């Protein structure tokens, strides 16, 4: 398993795990939701799924209002462009 900086079981409330870990595994309906507005805060259910996919323990409510970082948005845009998915 690719490690998350720090303890992979604890979660820094200031940021999500690296986008390259969770985006490829995220379900298509949740990807579409994120793609609708890459600048919008992520819904708690999306954050919960991201944490689950990365096997990170944490309360998604602690990340209420979290937004994708610039490099997260760039990764997603590049991924979408590369496979022609939107």
């Amino acid at each position: 398993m690719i490690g998350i900086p720090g303890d992979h079981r604890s979660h820094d409330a200031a940021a999500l795990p690296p986008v390259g870990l969770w985006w490829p595994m995220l379900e298509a309906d949740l990807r579409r939701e994120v793609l609708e507005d890459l600048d919008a805060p992520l819904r708690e259910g999306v954050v919960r799924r991201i944490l689950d996919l990365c096997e990170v323990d944490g309360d998604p409510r602690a990340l209420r209002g979290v937004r994708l970082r610039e490099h997260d948005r760039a990764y997603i845009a590049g991924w979408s462009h590369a496979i022609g998915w939107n």
Side-chain angles (χ1 to χ4, degrees):
M1 178 175 156
I2 297 172
I4 295 171
D7 181 356
H8 78 284
R9 290 288 180 177
S10 65
H11 183 66
D12 178 3
L16 295 171
V19 68
L21 294 177
W22 56 266
W23 183 258
M25 296 186 292
L26 196 63
E27 292 81 0
D29 59 327
L30 296 179
R31 284 184 188 159
R32 281 187 198 91
E33 180 179 333
V34 172
L35 284 167
E36 284 179 14
D37 187 353
L38 292 174
D39 295 318
L42 297 176
R43 189 174 54 80
E44 185 179 317
V46 174
V47 173
R48 178 178 290 114
R49 185 61 183 139
I50 291 168
L51 296 179
D52 288 346
L53 289 170
C54 295
E55 299 179 354
V56 175
D57 292 332
D59 184 353
R61 292 174 296 190
L63 294 176
R64 198 171 273 145
V66 71
R67 296 173 189 270
L68 296 173
R69 295 164 292 203
E70 183 177 347
H71 66 274
D72 297 332
R73 293 189 305 271
Y75 176 94
I76 292 168
W79 179 91
S80 297
H81 177 75
I83 64 167
W85 195 84
N86 48 22

